[in-house]
Amino acid sequence: MPLYFFHVRGGPSDCEADEGLEFPDDEAAHAAALTGARSMIAADVLEGILDLSSHIDVTDEQGATLFTIPFSAAVRQV
């Protein structure tokens, strides 16, 4: 299975992934990144912070960016 690296960028929580995660395909990795973004947003909200300026870059083993999940696109305002 391919390895995917999740890098959180922007905002106060910049973090480069040192280890990759295995997923069967890009769709599964995208779903995991979206869930991760939502989890980080929820944790921040519990601290009284709502900063949607961060994003997660998902890269392959060679470091090429496959897709980006903006935190602002991970939630919907109603």
Side-chain angles (χ1 to χ4, degrees):
M1 274 199 281
L3 282 177
Y4 294 85
F5 295 81
F6 295 68
H7 310 287
V8 179
R9 301 211 167 105
S13 55
D14 246 24
C15 180
E16 288 286 318
D18 293 330
E19 295 184 24
L21 300 171
E22 289 184 337
F23 292 97
D25 54 32
D26 287 0
E27 188 176 317
H30 186 279
L34 185 58
T35 298
R38 289 175 175 160
S39 292
M40 287 184 261
I41 292 166
D44 283 350
V45 168
L46 289 174
E47 296 293 323
I49 301 165
L50 179 58
D51 180 0
L52 301 177
S53 64
S54 298
H55 62 276
I56 298 175
D57 286 334
V58 179
T59 63
D60 62 16
E61 293 178 71
Q62 289 74 41
T65 300
L66 302 172
F67 47 87
T68 298
I69 306 288
F71 279 26
S72 60
V75 294
R76 172 171 50 100
Q77 290 184 334
V78 292

